[in-house]
Amino acid sequence: TKKRMQYQLKRIQDGSFARNWLLENQAGCPHFLAKRRIEAGSQLEEVGKDLRSKMSWGNKVEEL
């Protein structure tokens, strides 16, 4: 984990993270949307959806 965090920090510091982020968004977020579709069907998401539906605060709409 520490090595991965150091790698990501290096990407932030050298600007490659921001550059890739901008390119991804300019292209319509294909990688992000594909990852979202893949993860949407995961067991973790299914359990999370079920748990959120059982939480009383999850169904309330706050008025401004």
Side-chain angles (χ1 to χ4, degrees), residues 23-34:
L23 290 171
E24 170 78 5
N25 282 281
Q26 288 172 353
C29 305
H31 182 264
F32 173 77
L33 294 175

Side-chain angles (χ1 to χ4, degrees), residues 28-52:
C29 305
H31 182 264
F32 173 77
L33 294 175
K35 190 74 165 165
R36 179 184 270 179
R37 280 191 300 275
I38 291 168
E39 296 299 325
S42 72
Q43 184 179 10
L44 181 62
E45 285 298 320
E46 294 297 324
V47 171
K49 182 179 179 180
D50 183 47
L51 289 175
R52 287 188 299 275

Side-chain angles (χ1 to χ4, degrees), residues 1-8:
T1 302
K2 186 175 180 178
K3 286 182 181 182
R4 187 67 180 172
M5 290 175 69
Q6 289 172 335
Y7 169 75
Q8 295 300 343

